[in-house]
Amino acid sequence: MKNIVVFLGAPGAGKGTAAAAVAARTGARHVSTGAMLRDAVARGTPAGLEAKGHMESGGLVPDEVLYRMIAELLAETPDPATLFFDGFPRNEAQAEKLEQLAAESGATVASALLLDVSREALLERLGGRRVCPKCGAGFHVKSLPPKVDGVCDACGAALVVRADDRPETIAHRLEVYESATAPVIGFYERAGKLRRVDASGSAAEVAALVEAEVSR
Ligand code: AP5
């Protein structure tokens, strides 16, 4: 069986950080649609060209682009597997489509974890995020600083601020989250699959709570 665990939460809630940490400990596959799209943009693929403007403005990329990516990913994933979906689904139509795509590939959405954190903490986390443009490693100026200021621990490249982490784009991303993505919480609540995780603690504390939930 292919089991999918959906990670829900506002931009900056720590979905990527927690999913990566728990995947590394459990052998699950971390699937970040944001990272896949950023890679497509960097490589200039047709999907990347379609996604670029939407991502830079903090809006959502058209559903069809995501459906193609997710269908391919599920088809190529060997059975058995546990997949952590970080960033998909992001609206109710995507949540419904995921049920269909999962069924077609012999997968099940096992649970949806909602990482709960205050708006103040979201702004602090997004404002201090630094990323490596070469290997994709993520850092934070206060909570996860690199050993050498501004330099990636993993590959030595100069760290950058993510293109959509500018203050005006962050504000728009949070609006899009409230209007389009927050209703997905109700979708999984009605299905009896929603689990709430207090994501206000340190990255290690949040990862421990997430690991306990996915191991239940
Ligand atoms: P995406 O990359 O998914 O961005 P996001 O959902 O806005 O989430 P973030 O990556 O900003 O936050 P996160 O919750 O993963 O936090 P992180 O762990 O990095 O999507 C980007 C764009 O792609 C979208 O805007 C859209 O255009 C497009 N897209 C993607 N999927 C799509 C879809 N399905 N449909 C349509 N369009 C789609 O942490 C943030 C910072 O906080 C880091 O610096 C980290 O070190 C730090 N941190 C994390 N946890 C903690 C902690 N517990 N304590 C202190 N610091 C912490």
Side-chain angles (χ1 to χ4, degrees), residues 12 14-17 33 38 59 61 87 90 94 129 139 143 173 201:
K15 304 179 294 296
T17 301
T33 46
R38 280 186 288 280
V61 173
R90 237 182 172 88
Q94 292 185 6
R129 174 163 53 193
F139 300 87
S143 63
R173 285 165 63 205

Side-chain angles (χ1 to χ4, degrees), residues 22-199:
V22 180
R25 285 176 50 83
T26 61
R29 180 170 178 189
H30 174 203
V31 176
S32 160
T33 46
M36 289 164 79
L37 288 165
R38 280 186 288 280
D39 178 61
V41 170
R43 289 188 293 118
T45 67
L49 294 175
E50 208 173 337
K52 192 170 188 289
H54 299 284
M55 295 180 77
E56 282 173 355
S57 70
L60 294 185
V61 173
D63 291 345
E64 290 302 325
V65 175
L66 276 298
Y67 297 161
R68 286 195 292 273
M69 282 178 12
I70 296 295
E72 275 171 28
L73 178 117
L74 287 173
E76 75 173 32
T77 301
D79 204 348
T82 299
L83 298 133
F84 290 168
F85 272 22
D86 155 20
F88 185 91
R90 237 182 172 88
N91 57 37
E92 280 192 279
Q94 292 185 6
E96 280 161 16
K97 185 74 174 182
L98 177 56
E99 296 297 317
Q100 180 203 326
L101 294 174
E104 285 169 5
S105 70
T108 304
V109 180
S111 59
L113 307 185
L114 173 62
L115 271 60
D116 244 336
V117 65
S118 69
R119 186 180 172 94
E120 198 185 8
L122 297 175
L123 295 174
E124 158 78 18
R125 289 179 188 182
L126 291 171
R129 174 163 53 193
R130 299 293 180 270
V131 293
C132 176
K134 200 169 159 202
C135 73
F139 300 87
H140 188 277
V141 290
K142 287 189 188 152
S143 63
L144 188 61
K147 291 191 185 83
V148 178
D149 190 28
V151 177
C152 178
D153 289 352
C155 73
L159 299 178
V160 297
V161 173
R162 219 170 85 175
D164 58 355
D165 277 348
R166 292 185 305 271
E168 63 279 15
T169 316
I170 288 174
H172 184 51
R173 285 165 63 205
L174 292 172
E175 283 168 17
V176 170
Y177 174 76
E178 286 304 329
S179 60
T181 310
V184 177
I185 299 168
F187 178 92
Y188 288 114
E189 200 154 35
R190 288 190 294 279
K193 294 181 177 177
L194 189 73
R195 314 272 181 270
R196 290 177 191 272
V197 175
D198 175 2

